[in-house]
Amino acid sequence: MAIDVLDLVDLDKYPIHLPTSGDFRSLLAQTQAQLNDDGCAVLRGFVRADRITGLVQEANRVADRGHRSFNRTNVYFTQDNPAYRESHPLRRFFDRSNSFVPADNFGPESSIRSIYEWPLFSAFVQQALCEDRFFRYADPLADVIVNVAEEGAGFPWHFDTNNFTVTLAIQNAEQGGEFEYCPNLRTPDDENYPGVEAVLDENSSTVKTLALQPGDLQIFKGRYSLHRVRPLAGPRRRYVAIYSFVEEPAMVGSPERTRQLYGRVLPVHMERAGVRADTLVD
Ligand SMILES: O=C(O)CCC(=O)C(=O)O
Ligand SMILES: [Fe+2]
Protein backbone atom coordinates (compact mmCIF):
# COMPACT_ATOMS: atom_id res chain seq x y z
CA MET A 1 0.00 0.00 0.00
CA ALA A 2 1.48 3.33 -1.10
CA ILE A 3 -0.06 5.23 1.80
CA ASP A 4 0.53 4.19 5.37
CA VAL A 5 -2.97 3.84 6.70
CA LEU A 6 -1.55 2.95 10.12
CA ASP A 7 -0.30 6.49 10.33
CA LEU A 8 -3.62 8.03 9.26
CA VAL A 9 -6.04 6.37 11.66
CA ASP A 10 -5.78 7.15 15.38
CA LEU A 11 -4.90 3.62 16.48
CA ASP A 12 -4.44 4.63 20.10
CA LYS A 13 -8.15 5.42 20.28
CA TYR A 14 -9.27 2.85 17.71
CA PRO A 15 -7.05 -0.25 17.76
CA ILE A 16 -8.55 -1.89 14.71
CA HIS A 17 -5.07 -3.14 13.77
CA LEU A 18 -5.17 -5.44 16.83
CA PRO A 19 -8.36 -7.45 16.28
CA THR A 20 -7.57 -10.00 18.98
CA SER A 21 -6.91 -7.45 21.73
CA GLY A 22 -9.19 -6.64 24.63
CA ASP A 23 -9.18 -2.97 23.62
CA PHE A 24 -10.45 -3.95 20.19
CA ARG A 25 -13.20 -6.07 21.72
CA SER A 26 -14.43 -3.21 23.88
CA LEU A 27 -14.34 -0.80 20.91
CA LEU A 28 -16.35 -3.30 18.87
CA ALA A 29 -18.87 -3.88 21.67
CA GLN A 30 -19.33 -0.14 22.14
CA THR A 31 -19.80 0.48 18.40
CA GLN A 32 -22.27 -2.41 18.12
CA ALA A 33 -24.21 -1.04 21.09
CA GLN A 34 -24.48 2.42 19.51
CA LEU A 35 -25.71 0.88 16.26
CA ASN A 36 -28.23 -1.29 18.10
CA ASP A 37 -29.49 1.58 20.24
CA ASP A 38 -30.11 4.16 17.59
CA GLY A 39 -28.67 2.97 14.29
CA CYS A 40 -25.75 5.37 14.42
CA ALA A 41 -22.18 5.05 15.62
CA VAL A 42 -19.69 7.89 15.59
CA LEU A 43 -15.96 7.34 16.01
CA ARG A 44 -14.75 10.81 16.89
CA GLY A 45 -11.27 11.68 15.67
CA PHE A 46 -10.92 8.44 13.70
CA VAL A 47 -8.38 10.18 11.45
CA ARG A 48 -5.61 11.82 13.44
CA ALA A 49 -5.93 15.59 13.73
CA ASP A 50 -2.53 16.19 12.11
CA ARG A 51 -3.54 14.23 8.99
CA ILE A 52 -6.74 16.08 8.17
CA THR A 53 -5.04 18.84 6.19
CA GLY A 54 -3.76 16.16 3.82
CA LEU A 55 -7.28 14.83 3.26
CA VAL A 56 -8.61 18.34 2.64
CA GLN A 57 -5.84 19.01 0.11
CA GLU A 58 -6.69 15.79 -1.65
CA ALA A 59 -10.38 16.74 -1.80
CA ASN A 60 -9.48 20.28 -2.97
CA ARG A 61 -7.49 18.86 -5.87
CA VAL A 62 -10.47 16.94 -7.28
CA ALA A 63 -13.45 18.95 -6.04
CA ASP A 64 -14.10 20.52 -9.46
CA ARG A 65 -14.56 17.03 -10.93
CA GLY A 66 -17.76 16.60 -8.95
CA HIS A 67 -20.82 15.80 -11.01
CA ARG A 68 -23.80 17.91 -10.01
CA SER A 69 -27.28 16.48 -10.03
CA PHE A 70 -30.52 18.10 -8.94
CA ASN A 71 -33.91 16.64 -8.26
CA ARG A 72 -37.00 17.06 -6.17
CA THR A 73 -37.79 14.11 -3.96
CA ASN A 74 -39.99 13.07 -1.11
CA VAL A 75 -38.43 11.22 1.83
CA TYR A 76 -39.06 7.88 0.08
CA PHE A 77 -37.68 8.79 -3.39
CA THR A 78 -41.05 7.82 -4.89
CA GLN A 79 -43.30 9.56 -7.43
CA ASP A 80 -46.09 11.92 -6.40
CA ASN A 81 -49.35 10.18 -5.57
CA PRO A 82 -52.42 12.45 -5.85
CA ALA A 83 -54.54 9.82 -4.07
CA TYR A 84 -53.22 11.25 -0.79
CA ARG A 85 -53.88 14.68 0.72
CA GLU A 86 -51.25 17.30 -0.11
CA SER A 87 -49.75 17.46 3.37
CA HIS A 88 -49.14 13.69 3.49
CA PRO A 89 -45.42 12.74 3.70
CA LEU A 90 -45.73 10.86 0.39
CA ARG A 91 -46.57 14.21 -1.25
CA ARG A 92 -44.01 16.45 0.42
CA PHE A 93 -41.20 17.17 -2.04
CA PHE A 94 -37.88 18.87 -1.35
CA ASP A 95 -34.99 20.07 -3.51
CA ARG A 96 -31.96 17.85 -3.36
CA SER A 97 -28.62 18.64 -4.96
CA ASN A 98 -25.50 16.49 -5.03
CA SER A 99 -22.02 16.89 -6.31
CA PHE A 100 -20.20 13.58 -6.19
CA VAL A 101 -16.56 13.26 -7.15
CA PRO A 102 -16.42 9.83 -8.81
CA ALA A 103 -14.27 7.10 -7.32
CA ASP A 104 -11.76 6.94 -10.18
CA ASN A 105 -10.40 10.26 -8.89
CA PHE A 106 -9.16 8.42 -5.80
CA GLY A 107 -6.43 6.12 -7.05
CA PRO A 108 -3.85 3.98 -5.23
CA GLU A 109 -2.04 7.11 -4.00
CA SER A 110 -5.17 8.45 -2.29
CA SER A 111 -5.23 8.65 1.50
CA ILE A 112 -9.02 8.85 1.40
CA ARG A 113 -9.08 5.52 -0.44
CA SER A 114 -6.41 3.85 1.70
CA ILE A 115 -8.75 3.61 4.69
CA TYR A 116 -11.36 1.85 2.57
CA GLU A 117 -8.88 -0.60 1.07
CA TRP A 118 -7.42 -1.58 4.44
CA PRO A 119 -8.79 -5.09 5.07
CA LEU A 120 -8.93 -4.62 8.84
CA PHE A 121 -11.11 -1.53 8.35
CA SER A 122 -13.81 -3.37 6.40
CA ALA A 123 -13.55 -6.30 8.83
CA PHE A 124 -14.20 -3.91 11.72
CA VAL A 125 -17.15 -2.20 10.02
CA GLN A 126 -18.65 -5.56 9.07
CA GLN A 127 -18.47 -6.80 12.64
CA ALA A 128 -19.80 -3.53 13.99
CA LEU A 129 -22.84 -3.86 11.74
CA CYS A 130 -23.17 -7.63 12.41
CA GLU A 131 -23.54 -8.22 8.66
CA ASP A 132 -22.98 -11.74 7.29
CA ARG A 133 -22.61 -10.69 3.71
CA PHE A 134 -20.36 -7.68 3.35
CA PHE A 135 -18.11 -6.74 0.44
CA ARG A 136 -16.40 -3.66 -0.86
CA TYR A 137 -18.31 -2.26 -3.81
CA ALA A 138 -16.80 -3.36 -7.14
CA ASP A 139 -18.01 -0.21 -8.90
CA PRO A 140 -14.95 1.81 -10.04
CA LEU A 141 -16.97 5.05 -10.11
CA ALA A 142 -18.75 4.59 -6.81
CA ASP A 143 -16.76 2.62 -4.21
CA VAL A 144 -15.06 5.67 -2.64
CA ILE A 145 -16.54 9.05 -3.47
CA VAL A 146 -16.48 12.53 -2.00
CA ASN A 147 -19.62 14.59 -1.72
CA VAL A 148 -18.84 18.26 -2.28
CA ALA A 149 -21.54 20.58 -0.99
CA GLU A 150 -21.68 24.36 -1.16
CA GLU A 151 -23.61 27.15 0.47
CA GLY A 152 -27.36 26.59 0.29
CA ALA A 153 -26.96 22.85 -0.34
CA GLY A 154 -27.72 20.09 2.13
CA PHE A 155 -29.67 16.90 2.08
CA PRO A 156 -33.37 17.21 2.79
CA TRP A 157 -35.15 14.65 4.98
CA HIS A 158 -35.07 11.12 3.61
CA PHE A 159 -34.85 7.41 4.35
CA ASP A 160 -31.90 5.73 2.62
CA THR A 161 -32.59 3.00 0.09
CA ASN A 162 -29.51 1.10 1.28
CA ASN A 163 -29.14 -0.49 4.71
CA PHE A 164 -26.15 1.48 5.95
CA THR A 165 -23.59 4.11 5.01
CA VAL A 166 -20.04 4.66 6.17
CA THR A 167 -18.86 8.27 5.94
CA LEU A 168 -15.79 10.23 6.91
CA ALA A 169 -16.13 13.96 7.60
CA ILE A 170 -13.27 15.85 5.92
CA GLN A 171 -14.26 19.54 5.97
CA ASN A 172 -17.27 21.45 7.27
CA ALA A 173 -18.88 24.59 5.92
CA GLU A 174 -18.67 27.66 8.18
CA GLN A 175 -22.23 27.07 9.32
CA GLY A 176 -24.94 24.47 8.99
CA GLY A 177 -24.33 20.89 7.89
CA GLU A 178 -25.51 19.34 11.14
CA PHE A 179 -26.70 15.77 10.73
CA GLU A 180 -30.19 15.28 12.14
CA TYR A 181 -31.82 11.89 12.50
CA CYS A 182 -34.79 10.16 14.07
CA PRO A 183 -33.76 6.68 15.21
CA ASN A 184 -36.03 3.90 13.97
CA LEU A 185 -38.85 6.25 13.02
CA ARG A 186 -40.32 3.54 10.80
CA THR A 187 -40.06 -0.25 10.84
CA PRO A 188 -40.35 -2.88 8.09
CA ASP A 189 -44.02 -3.27 9.10
CA ASP A 190 -45.04 0.28 9.96
CA GLU A 191 -44.34 3.41 7.90
CA ASN A 192 -45.42 5.62 10.83
CA TYR A 193 -46.68 8.40 8.53
CA PRO A 194 -47.88 10.55 11.49
CA GLY A 195 -44.40 10.40 13.01
CA VAL A 196 -42.80 11.33 9.68
CA GLU A 197 -45.27 14.16 9.16
CA ALA A 198 -44.47 15.59 12.59
CA VAL A 199 -40.77 15.70 11.70
CA LEU A 200 -41.48 17.41 8.35
CA ASP A 201 -43.65 19.93 10.22
CA GLU A 202 -40.75 20.55 12.63
CA ASN A 203 -43.02 19.36 15.37
CA SER A 204 -41.27 16.26 16.68
CA SER A 205 -39.23 15.43 19.75
CA THR A 206 -37.60 12.42 18.09
CA VAL A 207 -34.89 14.38 16.27
CA LYS A 208 -31.28 13.95 17.38
CA THR A 209 -28.55 16.32 16.17
CA LEU A 210 -24.94 15.48 15.48
CA ALA A 211 -22.27 18.04 14.67
CA LEU A 212 -19.60 15.92 13.01
CA GLN A 213 -16.06 17.27 12.90
CA PRO A 214 -13.32 16.60 10.32
CA GLY A 215 -11.81 13.19 11.01
CA ASP A 216 -14.99 11.71 12.50
CA LEU A 217 -16.18 8.40 11.08
CA GLN A 218 -19.91 7.71 11.04
CA ILE A 219 -21.60 4.35 10.53
CA PHE A 220 -25.31 4.91 9.98
CA LYS A 221 -28.28 2.64 9.33
CA GLY A 222 -30.50 4.99 7.36
CA ARG A 223 -33.25 2.77 5.99
CA TYR A 224 -35.50 3.14 9.04
CA SER A 225 -34.16 6.39 10.51
CA LEU A 226 -35.34 9.56 8.81
CA HIS A 227 -32.38 11.94 8.43
CA ARG A 228 -31.11 15.11 6.81
CA VAL A 229 -28.09 17.40 6.57
CA ARG A 230 -29.04 20.96 7.48
CA PRO A 231 -28.42 23.61 4.78
CA LEU A 232 -24.90 25.00 4.63
CA ALA A 233 -23.85 28.62 4.93
CA GLY A 234 -20.56 30.36 4.22
CA PRO A 235 -18.05 30.09 1.37
CA ARG A 236 -16.20 26.97 2.59
CA ARG A 237 -17.27 23.72 0.95
CA ARG A 238 -18.32 20.70 2.95
CA TYR A 239 -16.47 17.49 2.06
CA VAL A 240 -17.62 14.05 3.14
CA ALA A 241 -16.10 10.79 1.90
CA ILE A 242 -18.59 7.98 1.39
CA TYR A 243 -17.35 4.38 1.58
CA SER A 244 -19.73 1.86 0.01
CA PHE A 245 -20.12 -1.75 1.01
CA VAL A 246 -22.63 -4.16 -0.48
CA GLU A 247 -24.07 -7.61 0.12
CA GLU A 248 -22.89 -9.19 -3.12
CA PRO A 249 -19.36 -9.39 -4.52
CA ALA A 250 -18.65 -7.96 -8.00
CA MET A 251 -21.71 -5.67 -7.95
CA VAL A 252 -21.73 -2.40 -9.92
CA GLY A 253 -24.43 0.26 -10.35
CA SER A 254 -26.91 0.28 -13.21
CA PRO A 255 -25.99 2.49 -16.20
CA GLU A 256 -29.01 4.78 -15.55
CA ARG A 257 -28.21 5.40 -11.91
CA THR A 258 -24.48 5.73 -12.59
CA ARG A 259 -25.04 8.33 -15.29
CA GLN A 260 -27.39 10.26 -13.03
CA LEU A 261 -24.97 10.35 -10.08
CA TYR A 262 -21.59 10.54 -11.84
CA GLY A 263 -22.40 11.91 -15.29
CA ARG A 264 -20.85 9.00 -17.18
CA VAL A 265 -20.57 5.23 -17.27
CA LEU A 266 -17.67 2.83 -17.86
CA PRO A 267 -17.61 -0.31 -20.03
CA VAL A 268 -18.08 -2.45 -16.93
CA HIS A 269 -21.49 -0.86 -16.27
CA MET A 270 -22.67 -1.62 -19.80
CA GLU A 271 -21.24 -5.16 -19.78
CA ARG A 272 -22.90 -6.04 -16.50
CA ALA A 273 -26.18 -4.49 -17.62
CA GLY A 274 -26.03 -6.56 -20.80
CA VAL A 275 -25.41 -9.75 -18.92
CA ARG A 276 -27.96 -9.00 -16.25
CA ALA A 277 -30.48 -7.04 -18.32
CA ASP A 278 -33.30 -9.35 -17.27
CA THR A 279 -32.57 -8.84 -13.58
CA LEU A 280 -31.89 -5.09 -13.43
CA VAL A 281 -34.03 -3.43 -10.83
CA ASP A 282 -33.03 0.20 -10.52
O1 LIG B 1 -23.58 13.82 3.67
C1 LIG B 1 -23.96 13.18 4.66
O2 LIG B 1 -23.46 13.38 5.78
C2 LIG B 1 -25.03 12.13 4.55
C3 LIG B 1 -25.82 12.27 3.31
C4 LIG B 1 -26.93 11.25 3.22
O3 LIG B 1 -27.76 11.14 4.05
C5 LIG B 1 -26.99 10.36 2.06
O4 LIG B 1 -26.09 10.44 1.19
O5 LIG B 1 -27.90 9.53 1.98
FE1 LIG C 1 -29.00 9.40 3.65
Side-chain angles (χ1 to χ4, degrees), residues 3-54:
I3 307 286
D4 193 357
V5 70
L6 297 179
D7 185 42
L8 209 57
V9 174
D10 190 336
L11 299 172
D12 297 327
K13 268 198 222 148
Y14 304 111
I16 60 180
H17 63 311
L18 301 172
T20 56
S21 67
D23 286 347
F24 176 90
R25 279 195 293 277
S26 33
L27 167 65
L28 184 59
Q30 197 187 328
T31 311
Q32 287 170 338
Q34 289 179 32
L35 284 163
N36 271 331
D37 290 348
D38 71 1
C40 183
V42 178
L43 282 70
R44 298 269 177 198
F46 184 76
V47 169
R48 301 162 58 104
D50 59 356
R51 301 305 302 269
I52 290 169
T53 314

Side-chain angles (χ1 to χ4, degrees), residues 43-81:
L43 282 70
R44 298 269 177 198
F46 184 76
V47 169
R48 301 162 58 104
D50 59 356
R51 301 305 302 269
I52 290 169
T53 314
L55 300 188
V56 171
Q57 285 168 349
E58 196 186 318
N60 278 337
R61 281 198 292 274
V62 294
D64 63 354
R65 301 193 203 153
H67 175 73
R68 285 165 198 267
S69 55
F70 299 92
N71 50 6
R72 267 182 81 71
T73 63
N74 61 14
V75 306
Y76 310 101
F77 302 104
T78 56
Q79 301 294 312
D80 190 21
N81 186 342

Side-chain angles (χ1 to χ4, degrees), residues 192-269:
N192 184 17
Y193 290 127
V196 175
E197 191 165 344
V199 175
L200 301 185
D201 289 340
E202 312 224 6
N203 186 21
S204 171
S205 57
T206 62
V207 182
K208 291 188 164 187
T209 302
L210 267 179
L212 294 172
Q213 299 303 324
D216 293 352
L217 182 82
Q218 181 187 29
I219 307 174
F220 182 65
K221 292 164 81 167
R223 193 188 282 277
Y224 302 108
S225 297
L226 191 66
H227 57 284
R228 73 166 166 182
V229 176
R230 291 188 69 92
L232 310 177
R236 194 167 58 217
R237 293 178 289 218
R238 175 179 185 263
Y239 294 139
V240 172
I242 305 177
Y243 296 133
S244 286
F245 298 93
V246 291
E247 288 166 23
E248 298 296 331
M251 248 178 80
V252 303
S254 71
E256 296 75 18
R257 183 102 180 111
T258 303
R259 203 179 293 283
Q260 181 193 1
L261 293 177
Y262 307 109
R264 59 195 161 94
V265 295
L266 297 176
V268 68
H269 297 104

